[in-house]
Amino acid sequence: MDDEGRQPRHDRGPVARQVPPFDPELGAALAAAGPAAREPVTPAGLAAAQRRDATARPRPTLGELRADGRFEVEELRTPAGPDGTEVTLVVARPAGAAGPLPVLYYLHGGGMIMGNAWSVLPRLLREWALPLGLAVVSAEYRLAPRAQYLDPVEDCYAGLVRATDRAAALGLDPGRVVLGGKSAGGGLAAALALLTRDRGGPAPIGQLLLSPMLDDRDNTFSGRQLAGLDTWDRTSNATAWQALLGDRYGAADLSPYAAAARATDLSGLPPAYLEVGSAETFRDEGVAYADAIWRAGGEAELHVWPGAFHGFDTLAPRAALSRDAREARTRWLRRILAR
């Protein structure tokens, strides 16, 4: 926004660039957050961005997550590969809830370069575990650039298999598992749905894809349109994909398990909920993914929130649009779990 609160209409160069207006409440919150909210992540600044994120997004302890006894919380570890790497799962459920409980298997955001499995839990437990009577399993997958190519999705798959194998002991219902995630986590959830379908692994009943990071090619219209304006723009996106894919970045034959938008067969997937903002980088890839599911004969519910940027409900949780988005997600979850 400019000094008078108007939406940007063009680049600094001579060619006009029309962009969707931000929702007024969201635009005000973004302006109040200052330039740091839209500072892009570059390869040279990646390590510093990761340090800042670790400071700004601390991990609550298990005691803090238990919230004075309202939740039962434990950690599990499972091997993820032949090198002995382990994945940590944080398993949380309403205290005293009669099982077996349906499960939201959740993958955190952060571009696959930032974030952690613990910091997302307080909100998930408050908004979904209590009102819907479900358990949440949050996976601490490895982050790029230490993790490369398929490491994160393989971590997520290993965790999913472990959680369903131990479902009886954990009071979980392995027949009612919804994959979910936001941003990078949404992309991983989509890739995980493809991977477990193709391996004949645990069969989820739904996939909750919130502003999913699906396409490494970084060539959508919305990516170009929102460059420099969204909280996660194509510069940050390219930095993250390059950190994950290394020499495979831009490869014509990239696996869809690394970037779900590369999939050519979207048949046989569980029902999907997809949401994006009209003013976010991932708008077009999210809409295209929903369309591809429909073309394959699948089920997808698509929401494009008008005037929303990436992460709008985190930056402005009390805005009317943020409340509407949370209610729509909850309604979809309730319907899927009731089937």
Side-chain angles (χ1 to χ4, degrees):
M1 302 179 90
D2 63 19
D3 291 340
E4 297 180 4
R6 295 173 301 206
Q7 295 300 326
R9 303 297 294 175
H10 56 78
D11 285 321
R12 292 176 181 174
V15 179
R17 174 164 52 126
Q18 301 296 320
V19 299
F22 292 133
D23 170 86
E25 284 185 286
L26 301 183
L30 185 58
R38 288 190 277 194
E39 182 179 353
V41 181
T42 64
L46 175 56
Q50 290 175 316
R51 289 192 297 270
R52 288 194 302 271
D53 180 77
T55 300
R57 197 169 357 201
R59 302 181 181 189
T61 65
L62 295 188
E64 290 169 335
L65 290 173
R66 291 182 182 121
D68 297 323
R70 282 190 296 165
F71 302 102
E72 299 167 5
V73 186
E74 61 182 296
E75 293 180 359
L76 297 178
R77 291 177 178 81
T78 187
D83 61 355
T85 298
E86 289 189 324
V87 176
T88 298
L89 303 176
V90 190
V91 184
R93 50 182 287 147
L101 298 182
V103 181
L104 175 62
Y105 185 77
Y106 195 83
L107 310 173
H108 68 81
M112 288 181 281
I113 53 176
M114 295 179 285
N116 66 76
W118 291 264
S119 62
V120 296
L121 277 169
R123 182 172 175 179
L124 298 176
L125 295 176
R126 180 180 67 252
E127 293 184 358
W128 287 329
L130 280 177
L132 298 179
L134 58 77
V136 178
V137 178
S138 184
E140 177 71 349
Y141 57 86
R142 285 171 288 174
L143 300 177
R146 182 173 66 88
Q148 290 280 295
Y149 192 39
L150 297 178
D151 289 344
V153 73
E154 289 288 1
D155 290 352
C156 297
Y157 181 80
L160 178 64
V161 171
R162 175 68 165 168
T164 52
D165 283 350
R166 291 210 56 203
L170 296 169
L172 309 179
D173 184 349
R176 286 196 295 164
V177 177
V178 175
L179 308 179
K182 189 173 187 179
S183 192
L188 284 169
L192 180 57
L194 294 167
L195 183 59
T196 195
R197 176 200 66 181
D198 296 344
R199 287 184 177 172
I205 62 170
Q207 46 181 331
L208 180 70
L209 312 179
L210 309 178
S211 295
M213 180 179 174
L214 300 165
D215 199 338
D216 65 294
R217 290 165 292 193
D218 211 24
N219 61 1
T220 63
F221 183 88
S222 59
R224 296 188 298 273
Q225 185 184 38
L226 278 304
L229 301 176
D230 194 11
T231 56
W232 181 266
D233 79 343
R234 66 191 309 226
T235 297
S236 299
N237 205 39
T239 298
W241 280 115
Q242 289 170 23
L244 177 72
L245 300 176
D247 292 341
R248 294 182 178 89
Y249 179 64
D253 59 349
L254 188 72
S255 169
Y257 309 139
R262 298 295 197 107
T264 57
D265 178 13
L266 295 182
S267 63
L269 294 174
Y273 177 101
L274 287 109
E275 76 165 45
V276 289
S278 69
E280 80 162 298
T281 300
F282 293 151
R283 181 193 68 213
D284 291 355
E285 61 196 72
V287 171
Y289 201 72
D291 184 62
I293 291 174
W294 295 324
R295 288 171 181 264
E299 179 182 342
E301 178 174 327
L302 173 65
H303 291 260
V304 182
W305 298 109
F309 48 79
H310 190 68
F312 67 98
D313 60 313
T314 299
L315 190 61
R318 295 181 178 84
L321 205 67
S322 300
R323 296 196 301 270
D324 288 348
R326 290 195 297 271
E327 290 171 3
R329 300 164 194 165
T330 302
R331 286 195 299 268
W332 179 86
L333 272 172
R334 185 176 287 112
R335 289 198 305 271
I336 288 296
L337 295 174
R339 290 186 177 183

